[in-house]
């Protein structure tokens, strides 16, 4: 703006000369060639650029100049910065007699201006107003009487523009302005531009109006277009940057179909003080296409107010407030009214958030802190975010992806983030009250709880209902970002296995091939862990321990009155490396086809692997006294397993089924590799001593071998009878 005013002042200086006498006298005193030379000299002095002018003359309708051009830095060989097809100035004669320039009409037509920001960040307008010693045939400037002449080639500031002038009416017709950013590979074309002003003077407000269309182009993106219609007033402030003033009453802007109105005031140009109000009326979603909003979102009417000041250190956002009405979101969700209140300072290397408050329905969020980004250093953050006690249904309305979880209840959070902005350290606390949610068929209801967390630990306490059963949980996790150590204790009054989600299907061919065995290694599946895939980073080891008590378990294939599970396991992230101990006890129930149940519930498959195996081999042994274990009523099932590198050693697995059998199992199994090596001592009802059975091979397809010496009276039978019994016990 300051550069443009300098050019305008040069033209007004010429107009001042035109007012030394009447127009007729001036026409004789300043013939076209002399007037042209004076105009060129004054403009060169004011701008420091090479200029051209086709013609200039004084007629009955004022001073008329045409064919004006100003060169780029470096002269016309570098191109044209500014062109004006014609300029007409109509001065009033009588005020000139008092030394005051009054122009009744100033018309500028056919303006073409090209502003370029070079790759090094400099602008081609930055040298306007810096004059150098004349060269190349330009008329030398007159020496001042009291000052020594400037050294040859030295740059000097132009004299202050005249202040005793006024223009009744200014019109700019058919103007085009192009701005290019070479580094960003972007271009803005503003035009055609029409502008008008009345009562234009160097100091004091005067009305002004501007209408312009524009096209914005960015490398790799479609062009965007729009228009601006400005009505307001301006104050040139005596050409002082600190006193410049611009009022918008209002500015109507259209961008890619989106309509908005802005009003307010800007004071100063070097360090502007800004007060703006922005309004976006409710309009069709198609008008928002430039912002690529989610499908189905119907934006409401928006209003914002900004008070800011630019300083040498940065931008001081004293207040930014915004409001949006209720609206509809994707899938017909309801979005509550929104409000924003921000106060911050945006510095060159650090942004300080003094206050940031967001309200969405009952949800009220406040944030404060700082974001730093010094040159050559990674960005860092130190932020605190806190909420009131709010409704989770409001949160689901703001994040449509949460709608499927049917969140209800109340919650509050107090969070702190510090350190590297890309991966800050988090700490804080959370509270839940009466929370309900659904996911994968699981229903939580009436959950009350609290939790705290630091960069190295998490602690959670919660109580409520899971699928209708009373649930209590206590969880702690230490070193959860590096070597998670998770402790979980809890109780559930009732567990319906049919409501648990099925396991995720394994991708075909996703299982890694075992590494080649070295001499002395255990065979794959018998204690030796499988190798990681080439180039695959080892995941962090996970340790977990705890105890869970369940009051009642139900399923069409399995029922139990109570169960207890305790564990202390390491390398939980990889079943091939799993180590530790697990104990469980299940009381008073019945089961049918456990293999079918285990196929859909991996935990059941692991814990009851020996019992599932017993069911499988029972159907393969052909002897009248040997039970089939197809339908079993049991009084107790217990297990004590030790894991080492994925190998499960059965220290004790016991089932007491009154009036049927009492089974005890020992040995090893590897669920991950489908391997088994177990010995079963089966005390069949009415037999005096247990029958010994050895099970080897695969869990899915086991091989059995009955120890005939454990059958009472077999040792007294002849060899042919023993061979017959041996055949009866073979697997079918």
């Amino acid at each position: 703006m300051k550069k443009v005013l300098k050019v305008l002042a040069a033209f007004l200086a010429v107009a001042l000369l035109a007012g030394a006498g009447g127009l007729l006298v001036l026409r004789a005193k300043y013939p076209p060639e002399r007037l042209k030379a004076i105009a060129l000299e004054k403009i060169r002095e004011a701008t420091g650029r090479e200029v051209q002018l086709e013609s200039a003359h004084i007629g009955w309708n004022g001073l008329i100049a045409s064919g004006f051009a100003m060169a780029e830095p470096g002269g016309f060989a570098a191109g044209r910065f500014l062109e004006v097809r014609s300029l007409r100035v109509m001065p009033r004669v009588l005020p000139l007699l008092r030394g005051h320039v009054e122009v009744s009409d100033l018309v500028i037509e056919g303006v073409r201006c090209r502003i370029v920001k070079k790759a090094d960040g400099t602008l081609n307008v930055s040298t306007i107003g810096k004059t150098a010693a004349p060269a190349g045939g330009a008329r030398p400037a007159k020496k001042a009487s009291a000052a020594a002449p400037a050294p040859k080639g030295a740059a000097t500031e132009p004299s202050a523009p005249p202040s005793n002038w006024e223009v009744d009416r200014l019109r700019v017709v058919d103007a085009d302005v192009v701005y290019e950013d070479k580094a960003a590979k972007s271009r803005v074309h503003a035009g055609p531009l029409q502008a008008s002003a009345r009562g234009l003077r160097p100091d004091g407000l005067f009305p002004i109006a501007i209408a312009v269309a524009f096209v914005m182009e960015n490398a790799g993106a479609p062009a965007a277009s729009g228009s601006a219609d400005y009505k307001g007033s301006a104050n040139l402030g005596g050409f002082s940057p600190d006193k410049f003033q611009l009022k918008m009453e209002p500015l109507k802007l259209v961008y890619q179909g989106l309509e908005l109105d802005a009003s307010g005031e800007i004071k100063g140009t070097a360090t502007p003080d800004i007060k703006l109000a922005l309004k976006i009326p409710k309009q069709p979603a198609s008008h928002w296409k430039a912002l690529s909003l989610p499908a189905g979102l119907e934006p409401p009417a928006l209003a914002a107010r900004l008070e800011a000041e630019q300083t040498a250190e940065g931008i001081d956002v004293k207040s930014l407030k915004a409001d949006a009405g209720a609206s509809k979101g994707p899938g017909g969700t309801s979005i509550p009214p929104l409000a924003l209140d921000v106060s911050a300072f945006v510095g060159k290397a650090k942004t300080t958030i003094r206050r940031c408050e967001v309200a969405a329905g009952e949800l009220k969020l406040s944030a404060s802190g700082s974001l730093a980004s010094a040159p050559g250093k990674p960005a860092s953050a130190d932020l605190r975010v806190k909420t009131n006690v709010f409704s989770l249904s409001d949160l689901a309305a703001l994040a449509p992806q949460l709608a499927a979880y049917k969140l209800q209840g109340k919650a509050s959070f107090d969070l702190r983030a510090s350190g590297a902005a890309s991966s800050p350290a988090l700490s804080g606390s959370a509270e839940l009250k009466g929370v309900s949610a659904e996911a994968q068929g699981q229903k939580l209801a009436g959950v009350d709880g609290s939790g705290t967390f630091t960069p190295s630990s998490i602690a959670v306490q919660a109580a409520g209902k899971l699928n209708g059963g009373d649930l209590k949980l206590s969880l702690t996790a230490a070193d959860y970002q590096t070597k998670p150590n998770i402790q979980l204790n809890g109780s559930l009054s009732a567990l319906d296995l049919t409501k648990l989600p099925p396991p995720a299907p394994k991708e075909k061919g996703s299982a890694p091939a075992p590494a080649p065995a070295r001499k002395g290694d255990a065979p794959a599946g018998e204690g030796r862990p499988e190798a990681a895939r080439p180039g695959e980073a080892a995941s962090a080891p996970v340790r977990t321990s705890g105890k869970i008590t369940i009051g009642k378990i139900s399923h069409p294939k399995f029922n139990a009155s109570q169960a207890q599970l305790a564990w202390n396991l390491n390398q939980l992230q990889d079943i091939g490396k799993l180590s530790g101990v697990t104990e469980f006890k299940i009381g008073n129930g019945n089961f049918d086809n456990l293999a079918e149940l285990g196929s859909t519930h991996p935990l059941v498959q692991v814990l009851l692997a020996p019992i599932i195996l017993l069911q499988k081999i029972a159907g393969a042994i052909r002897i009248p006294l040997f039970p089939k274990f197809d339908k079993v009523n049991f009084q107790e099932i217990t297990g004590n397993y030790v894991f080492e590198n994925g190998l499960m050693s059965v220290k004790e697995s016991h089932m007491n089924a009154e009036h049927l059998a009492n089974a005890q199992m020992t040995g090893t199994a590897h669920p991950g590799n489908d391997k088994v090596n177990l010995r079963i001592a089966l005390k069949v009802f009415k037999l005096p001593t247990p029958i010994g059975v050895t099970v080897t091979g695969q869990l899915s397809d086991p091989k059995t071998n009955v120890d005939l010496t454990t059958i009472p009276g077999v040792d007294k039978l002849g060899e042919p009878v023993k061979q017959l019994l041996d055949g009866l016990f073979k697997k079918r």
Side-chain angles (χ1 to χ4, degrees):
M1 176 61 73
K2 184 178 179 182
K3 308 297 185 182
V4 175
L5 292 176
K6 289 180 180 292
V7 177
L8 179 59
F11 278 110
L12 291 175
V14 176
L16 181 60
L17 289 174
L23 289 177
L24 295 178
V25 176
L26 286 177
R27 185 174 181 179
K29 186 174 181 179
Y30 297 99
E33 288 305 317
R34 184 182 179 194
L35 186 61
K36 175 181 174 180
I38 293 173
L40 289 172
E41 180 182 0
K42 292 295 182 182
I43 296 172
R44 285 194 189 101
E45 286 182 1
T47 64
R49 293 281 184 91
E50 288 186 20
V51 291
Q52 295 176 349
L53 185 62
E54 289 182 4
S55 64
H57 69 276
I58 298 174
W60 62 271
N61 55 347
L63 169 65
I64 299 174
S66 60
F68 172 79
M70 180 184 295
E72 291 279 4
F76 281 104
R80 296 190 172 200
F81 160 69
L82 176 67
E83 294 179 283
V84 179
R85 186 168 62 246
S86 67
L87 177 142
R88 180 170 64 85
V89 182
M90 184 63 184
R92 287 195 175 96
V93 177
L94 291 179
L96 293 176
L97 301 177
R98 303 192 301 271
H100 190 271
V101 177
E102 290 188 16
V103 176
S104 61
D105 205 8
L106 172 59
V107 182
I108 305 172
E109 296 184 5
V111 177
R112 302 290 182 265
C113 182
R114 180 172 174 265
I115 302 173
V116 178
K117 183 179 181 181
K118 301 177 184 178
D120 61 4
T122 60
L123 293 167
N124 64 341
V125 298
S126 59
T127 58
I128 293 179
K130 301 290 185 180
T131 60
R139 179 179 293 182
K142 294 182 180 180
K143 293 182 180 180
S145 58
K152 185 177 181 180
T156 60
E157 291 289 344
S159 58
S163 59
N164 55 342
W165 57 268
E166 184 173 349
V167 178
D168 282 354
R169 185 172 65 166
L170 166 67
R171 288 179 294 159
V172 178
V173 181
D174 185 26
D176 267 19
V177 178
V178 174
Y179 172 80
E180 293 184 39
D181 188 327
K182 295 295 186 181
K185 297 182 181 179
S186 62
R187 183 176 185 270
V188 179
H189 175 208
L193 181 149
Q194 318 291 338
S196 64
R198 301 190 69 89
L200 177 65
R201 55 192 183 275
D203 199 0
L205 286 170
F206 56 88
I208 187 171
I210 301 173
V212 62
F214 60 85
V215 176
M216 304 172 65
E217 300 174 358
N218 288 286
S225 60
S227 63
D229 188 356
Y230 164 77
K231 290 182 175 62
S233 56
N235 182 355
L236 302 180
F239 300 102
S240 170
D242 295 334
K243 296 181 180 180
F244 175 81
Q245 185 179 9
L246 182 68
K247 290 186 175 182
M248 289 175 278
E249 303 165 352
L251 166 66
K252 293 185 178 294
L253 183 66
V254 178
Y255 177 72
Q256 292 290 80
L258 180 64
E259 302 173 9
L260 59 88
D261 294 343
S263 59
E265 182 178 15
I266 300 175
K267 292 182 178 179
T269 56
T271 56
D273 189 357
I274 303 169
K275 293 182 180 179
L276 294 177
L278 177 69
K279 291 183 179 180
I280 302 179
K282 185 174 177 58
Q283 47 199 298
S286 60
H287 288 193
W288 294 80
K289 61 183 179 181
L291 302 183
S292 301
L293 297 179
L297 178 63
E298 299 179 9
L302 302 173
R305 298 169 299 283
L306 171 67
E307 291 187 20
E309 181 181 6
Q310 183 175 350
T311 68
E313 291 77 25
I315 300 175
D316 185 1
V317 181
K318 299 176 181 177
S319 175
L320 171 61
K321 296 183 178 181
D323 297 282
S327 60
K328 294 291 184 182
T333 56
S334 297
I335 299 178
L338 305 176
L340 173 70
D341 185 358
V342 176
S343 176
F345 187 87
V346 183
K348 297 177 181 178
K350 183 178 181 180
T351 296
T352 301
I353 302 173
R354 295 186 288 255
R355 178 184 71 254
C356 178
E357 296 178 354
V358 180
E362 291 184 15
L363 171 61
K364 291 180 173 57
L365 180 149
S366 62
S368 59
S370 62
L371 297 167
S373 180
K377 295 183 179 180
S380 62
D382 186 5
L383 298 173
R384 183 182 182 187
V385 179
K386 188 177 181 180
T387 73
N388 65 332
V389 178
F390 65 93
S391 171
L392 288 173
S393 58
D394 285 347
L395 182 63
L398 295 173
Q401 63 271 25
L402 298 178
Y405 297 103
K406 299 181 181 179
L407 290 173
Q408 298 290 331
K410 304 283 187 179
S412 64
F413 301 93
D414 189 351
L415 311 177
R416 178 79 179 268
S418 59
S422 58
S423 56
L426 301 177
S427 60
S429 62
E431 299 280 344
L432 302 177
K433 185 69 175 177
V435 173
S436 64
E438 294 184 20
Q440 293 186 308
Q442 310 306 293
K443 294 183 179 181
L444 281 172
V447 176
D448 295 341
S450 62
T452 60
F453 57 95
T454 69
S456 61
S457 65
I458 297 175
V460 176
Q461 302 284 337
K465 288 185 178 293
L466 173 63
N467 297 328
D470 294 331
L471 173 69
K472 290 184 178 180
L473 286 178
S474 174
L475 179 146
T476 61
D479 299 324
Y480 63 89
Q481 297 190 77
T482 54
K483 295 181 178 180
N485 187 349
I486 303 168
Q487 186 173 28
L488 175 64
N489 292 285
S491 64
L492 181 62
S493 64
L495 174 62
D496 185 348
L497 294 177
T498 62
K499 295 182 179 180
L500 295 181
K506 293 183 179 180
E507 295 183 9
K508 189 175 181 180
S510 62
R518 297 173 300 177
K519 187 176 181 179
D521 280 345
E526 296 184 9
R528 185 170 59 88
E530 294 177 342
R533 300 183 190 187
E536 184 180 80
S539 54
V542 179
R543 177 180 290 277
T544 177
S545 60
K547 183 177 181 180
I548 295 291
T549 302
I550 301 174
K552 179 182 179 182
I553 302 175
S554 60
H555 188 274
K557 302 293 183 181
F558 185 90
N559 289 279
S561 61
Q562 60 183 359
Q564 291 182 351
L565 172 64
W567 67 95
N568 189 346
L569 300 170
N570 196 15
Q571 301 288 350
L572 188 66
Q573 81 289 349
D574 186 350
I575 193 170
K577 297 179 180 179
L578 185 65
S579 299
V581 296
T582 298
E583 296 182 55
F584 70 91
K585 181 179 180 181
I586 303 173
N588 198 27
N590 59 77
F591 62 79
D592 190 349
N593 189 343
L594 286 181
E596 180 182 332
L597 176 61
S599 66
T600 56
H601 296 85
L603 181 60
V604 173
Q605 185 179 33
V606 172
L607 293 180
L608 299 182
I611 309 300
I612 294 173
L613 191 61
L614 185 62
Q615 267 195 325
K616 287 185 177 183
I617 66 172
I621 297 177
R622 292 179 283 178
I623 185 170
L625 293 177
F626 203 95
K628 300 302 182 186
F629 290 101
D630 52 353
K631 297 182 184 296
V632 176
N633 293 316
F634 62 87
Q635 284 68 54
E636 185 179 69
I637 298 176
T638 61
N640 185 337
Y641 307 153
V642 175
F643 294 86
E644 184 175 0
N645 288 327
L647 181 68
M648 181 176 77
S649 298
V650 181
K651 297 301 182 183
E652 186 247 343
S653 180
H654 171 260
M655 182 183 69
N656 182 12
E658 189 177 347
H659 306 303
L660 181 63
N662 188 327
Q664 293 186 355
M665 286 157 275
T666 58
T668 61
H670 202 304
N673 287 340
D674 197 29
K675 300 291 184 181
V676 63
N677 186 358
L678 286 177
R679 180 171 178 81
I680 303 174
L682 186 65
K683 178 67 172 65
V684 180
F685 183 60
K686 294 184 178 180
L687 287 182
T689 59
I691 298 175
V693 181
T694 301
V695 184
T696 58
Q698 296 177 309
L699 279 168
S700 57
D701 188 22
K703 296 178 181 179
T704 61
N705 183 34
V706 178
D707 185 357
L708 296 180
T709 62
T710 62
I711 300 177
V714 170
D715 56 335
K716 298 178 181 180
L717 300 176
E719 190 62 30
V721 178
K722 289 183 180 181
Q723 292 178 0
L724 176 63
L725 288 174
D726 188 46
L728 288 174
F729 282 98
K730 292 294 184 183
K731 182 179 183 293
R732 287 179 181 176

mmCIF file with all atom_site columns, all heavy atoms in Angstrom, residues 356-358 364-368 384-387:
data_model
loop_
_atom_site.group_PDB
_atom_site.id
_atom_site.type_symbol
_atom_site.label_atom_id
_atom_site.label_alt_id
_atom_site.label_comp_id
_atom_site.label_asym_id
_atom_site.label_entity_id
_atom_site.label_seq_id
_atom_site.pdbx_PDB_ins_code
_atom_site.Cartn_x
_atom_site.Cartn_y
_atom_site.Cartn_z
_atom_site.occupancy
_atom_site.B_iso_or_equiv
_atom_site.pdbx_formal_charge
_atom_site.auth_seq_id
_atom_site.auth_comp_id
_atom_site.auth_asym_id
_atom_site.auth_atom_id
_atom_site.pdbx_PDB_model_num
ATOM 1  N N   . CYS A 1 356 ? -7.415  -21.361 25.701 1.00 0.00 ? 356 CYS A N   1
ATOM 2  C CA  . CYS A 1 356 ? -8.143  -21.963 24.589 1.00 0.00 ? 356 CYS A CA  1
ATOM 3  C C   . CYS A 1 356 ? -9.309  -22.743 25.192 1.00 0.00 ? 356 CYS A C   1
ATOM 4  O O   . CYS A 1 356 ? -9.096  -23.763 25.853 1.00 0.00 ? 356 CYS A O   1
ATOM 5  C CB  . CYS A 1 356 ? -7.258  -22.880 23.749 1.00 0.00 ? 356 CYS A CB  1
ATOM 6  S SG  . CYS A 1 356 ? -8.147  -23.676 22.390 1.00 0.00 ? 356 CYS A SG  1
ATOM 7  N N   . GLU A 1 357 ? -10.511 -22.247 24.996 1.00 0.00 ? 357 GLU A N   1
ATOM 8  C CA  . GLU A 1 357 ? -11.698 -22.879 25.566 1.00 0.00 ? 357 GLU A CA  1
ATOM 9  C C   . GLU A 1 357 ? -12.643 -23.276 24.437 1.00 0.00 ? 357 GLU A C   1
ATOM 10 O O   . GLU A 1 357 ? -12.946 -22.465 23.561 1.00 0.00 ? 357 GLU A O   1
ATOM 11 C CB  . GLU A 1 357 ? -12.397 -21.935 26.538 1.00 0.00 ? 357 GLU A CB  1
ATOM 12 C CG  . GLU A 1 357 ? -11.526 -21.589 27.753 1.00 0.00 ? 357 GLU A CG  1
ATOM 13 C CD  . GLU A 1 357 ? -12.209 -20.616 28.703 1.00 0.00 ? 357 GLU A CD  1
ATOM 14 O OE1 . GLU A 1 357 ? -13.306 -20.127 28.347 1.00 0.00 ? 357 GLU A OE1 1
ATOM 15 O OE2 . GLU A 1 357 ? -11.653 -20.336 29.780 1.00 0.00 ? 357 GLU A OE2 1
ATOM 16 N N   . VAL A 1 358 ? -13.073 -24.523 24.479 1.00 0.00 ? 358 VAL A N   1
ATOM 17 C CA  . VAL A 1 358 ? -13.989 -25.063 23.476 1.00 0.00 ? 358 VAL A CA  1
ATOM 18 C C   . VAL A 1 358 ? -15.211 -25.608 24.197 1.00 0.00 ? 358 VAL A C   1
ATOM 19 O O   . VAL A 1 358 ? -15.078 -26.339 25.189 1.00 0.00 ? 358 VAL A O   1
ATOM 20 C CB  . VAL A 1 358 ? -13.331 -26.180 22.646 1.00 0.00 ? 358 VAL A CB  1
ATOM 21 C CG1 . VAL A 1 358 ? -14.299 -26.731 21.610 1.00 0.00 ? 358 VAL A CG1 1
ATOM 22 C CG2 . VAL A 1 358 ? -12.069 -25.665 21.960 1.00 0.00 ? 358 VAL A CG2 1
ATOM 23 N N   . LYS A 1 364 ? -17.049 -29.057 27.817 1.00 0.00 ? 364 LYS A N   1
ATOM 24 C CA  . LYS A 1 364 ? -16.259 -27.830 27.876 1.00 0.00 ? 364 LYS A CA  1
ATOM 25 C C   . LYS A 1 364 ? -14.803 -28.226 28.070 1.00 0.00 ? 364 LYS A C   1
ATOM 26 O O   . LYS A 1 364 ? -14.449 -28.868 29.051 1.00 0.00 ? 364 LYS A O   1
ATOM 27 C CB  . LYS A 1 364 ? -16.743 -26.915 28.998 1.00 0.00 ? 364 LYS A CB  1
ATOM 28 C CG  . LYS A 1 364 ? -18.115 -26.302 28.737 1.00 0.00 ? 364 LYS A CG  1
ATOM 29 C CD  . LYS A 1 364 ? -18.563 -25.400 29.862 1.00 0.00 ? 364 LYS A CD  1
ATOM 30 C CE  . LYS A 1 364 ? -19.852 -24.673 29.498 1.00 0.00 ? 364 LYS A CE  1
ATOM 31 N NZ  . LYS A 1 364 ? -20.932 -25.610 29.140 1.00 0.00 ? 364 LYS A NZ  1
ATOM 32 N N   . LEU A 1 365 ? -13.980 -27.835 27.121 1.00 0.00 ? 365 LEU A N   1
ATOM 33 C CA  . LEU A 1 365 ? -12.559 -28.195 27.118 1.00 0.00 ? 365 LEU A CA  1
ATOM 34 C C   . LEU A 1 365 ? -11.728 -26.925 27.212 1.00 0.00 ? 365 LEU A C   1
ATOM 35 O O   . LEU A 1 365 ? -12.008 -25.944 26.527 1.00 0.00 ? 365 LEU A O   1
ATOM 36 C CB  . LEU A 1 365 ? -12.233 -28.966 25.843 1.00 0.00 ? 365 LEU A CB  1
ATOM 37 C CG  . LEU A 1 365 ? -10.798 -29.445 25.609 1.00 0.00 ? 365 LEU A CG  1
ATOM 38 C CD1 . LEU A 1 365 ? -10.829 -30.738 24.793 1.00 0.00 ? 365 LEU A CD1 1
ATOM 39 C CD2 . LEU A 1 365 ? -9.982  -28.409 24.848 1.00 0.00 ? 365 LEU A CD2 1
ATOM 40 N N   . SER A 1 366 ? -10.717 -26.952 28.058 1.00 0.00 ? 366 SER A N   1
ATOM 41 C CA  . SER A 1 366 ? -9.807  -25.812 28.177 1.00 0.00 ? 366 SER A CA  1
ATOM 42 C C   . SER A 1 366 ? -8.376  -26.308 27.989 1.00 0.00 ? 366 SER A C   1
ATOM 43 O O   . SER A 1 366 ? -8.021  -27.400 28.433 1.00 0.00 ? 366 SER A O   1
ATOM 44 C CB  . SER A 1 366 ? -9.954  -25.128 29.533 1.00 0.00 ? 366 SER A CB  1
ATOM 45 O OG  . SER A 1 366 ? -9.630  -26.017 30.581 1.00 0.00 ? 366 SER A OG  1
ATOM 46 N N   . ALA A 1 367 ? -7.573  -25.498 27.316 1.00 0.00 ? 367 ALA A N   1
ATOM 47 C CA  . ALA A 1 367 ? -6.186  -25.864 27.047 1.00 0.00 ? 367 ALA A CA  1
ATOM 48 C C   . ALA A 1 367 ? -5.293  -24.652 27.245 1.00 0.00 ? 367 ALA A C   1
ATOM 49 O O   . ALA A 1 367 ? -5.715  -23.507 27.037 1.00 0.00 ? 367 ALA A O   1
ATOM 50 C CB  . ALA A 1 367 ? -6.033  -26.401 25.622 1.00 0.00 ? 367 ALA A CB  1
ATOM 51 N N   . SER A 1 368 ? -4.069  -24.907 27.639 1.00 0.00 ? 368 SER A N   1
ATOM 52 C CA  . SER A 1 368 ? -3.069  -23.856 27.783 1.00 0.00 ? 368 SER A CA  1
ATOM 53 C C   . SER A 1 368 ? -1.699  -24.504 27.621 1.00 0.00 ? 368 SER A C   1
ATOM 54 O O   . SER A 1 368 ? -1.549  -25.718 27.715 1.00 0.00 ? 368 SER A O   1
ATOM 55 C CB  . SER A 1 368 ? -3.176  -23.164 29.149 1.00 0.00 ? 368 SER A CB  1
ATOM 56 O OG  . SER A 1 368 ? -2.997  -24.103 30.199 1.00 0.00 ? 368 SER A OG  1
ATOM 57 N N   . ARG A 1 384 ? -1.528  -28.522 28.442 1.00 0.00 ? 384 ARG A N   1
ATOM 58 C CA  . ARG A 1 384 ? -2.454  -29.128 29.386 1.00 0.00 ? 384 ARG A CA  1
ATOM 59 C C   . ARG A 1 384 ? -3.871  -28.969 28.837 1.00 0.00 ? 384 ARG A C   1
ATOM 60 O O   . ARG A 1 384 ? -4.268  -27.876 28.429 1.00 0.00 ? 384 ARG A O   1
ATOM 61 C CB  . ARG A 1 384 ? -2.361  -28.479 30.763 1.00 0.00 ? 384 ARG A CB  1
ATOM 62 C CG  . ARG A 1 384 ? -3.278  -29.169 31.782 1.00 0.00 ? 384 ARG A CG  1
ATOM 63 C CD  . ARG A 1 384 ? -3.252  -28.524 33.139 1.00 0.00 ? 384 ARG A CD  1
ATOM 64 N NE  . ARG A 1 384 ? -4.096  -29.234 34.081 1.00 0.00 ? 384 ARG A NE  1
ATOM 65 C CZ  . ARG A 1 384 ? -4.367  -28.817 35.314 1.00 0.00 ? 384 ARG A CZ  1
ATOM 66 N NH1 . ARG A 1 384 ? -3.829  -27.687 35.757 1.00 0.00 ? 384 ARG A NH1 1
ATOM 67 N NH2 . ARG A 1 384 ? -5.154  -29.518 36.100 1.00 0.00 ? 384 ARG A NH2 1
ATOM 68 N N   . VAL A 1 385 ? -4.600  -30.070 28.817 1.00 0.00 ? 385 VAL A N   1
ATOM 69 C CA  . VAL A 1 385 ? -5.973  -30.082 28.319 1.00 0.00 ? 385 VAL A CA  1
ATOM 70 C C   . VAL A 1 385 ? -6.861  -30.656 29.414 1.00 0.00 ? 385 VAL A C   1
ATOM 71 O O   . VAL A 1 385 ? -6.590  -31.736 29.945 1.00 0.00 ? 385 VAL A O   1
ATOM 72 C CB  . VAL A 1 385 ? -6.104  -30.924 27.036 1.00 0.00 ? 385 VAL A CB  1
ATOM 73 C CG1 . VAL A 1 385 ? -7.547  -30.929 26.552 1.00 0.00 ? 385 VAL A CG1 1
ATOM 74 C CG2 . VAL A 1 385 ? -5.179  -30.395 25.950 1.00 0.00 ? 385 VAL A CG2 1
ATOM 75 N N   . LYS A 1 386 ? -7.930  -29.927 29.724 1.00 0.00 ? 386 LYS A N   1
ATOM 76 C CA  . LYS A 1 386 ? -8.814  -30.332 30.807 1.00 0.00 ? 386 LYS A CA  1
ATOM 77 C C   . LYS A 1 386 ? -10.259 -30.194 30.361 1.00 0.00 ? 386 LYS A C   1
ATOM 78 O O   . LYS A 1 386 ? -10.595 -29.270 29.623 1.00 0.00 ? 386 LYS A O   1
ATOM 79 C CB  . LYS A 1 386 ? -8.543  -29.458 32.041 1.00 0.00 ? 386 LYS A CB  1
ATOM 80 C CG  . LYS A 1 386 ? -9.272  -29.889 33.309 1.00 0.00 ? 386 LYS A CG  1
ATOM 81 C CD  . LYS A 1 386 ? -8.867  -29.006 34.483 1.00 0.00 ? 386 LYS A CD  1
ATOM 82 C CE  . LYS A 1 386 ? -9.577  -29.445 35.766 1.00 0.00 ? 386 LYS A CE  1
ATOM 83 N NZ  . LYS A 1 386 ? -9.180  -28.597 36.913 1.00 0.00 ? 386 LYS A NZ  1
ATOM 84 N N   . THR A 1 387 ? -11.113 -31.109 30.817 1.00 0.00 ? 387 THR A N   1
ATOM 85 C CA  . THR A 1 387 ? -12.534 -31.025 30.497 1.00 0.00 ? 387 THR A CA  1
ATOM 86 C C   . THR A 1 387 ? -13.354 -30.951 31.771 1.00 0.00 ? 387 THR A C   1
ATOM 87 O O   . THR A 1 387 ? -12.879 -31.300 32.864 1.00 0.00 ? 387 THR A O   1
ATOM 88 C CB  . THR A 1 387 ? -13.006 -32.246 29.681 1.00 0.00 ? 387 THR A CB  1
ATOM 89 O OG1 . THR A 1 387 ? -13.058 -33.387 30.543 1.00 0.00 ? 387 THR A OG1 1
ATOM 90 C CG2 . THR A 1 387 ? -12.082 -32.525 28.508 1.00 0.00 ? 387 THR A CG2 1
#
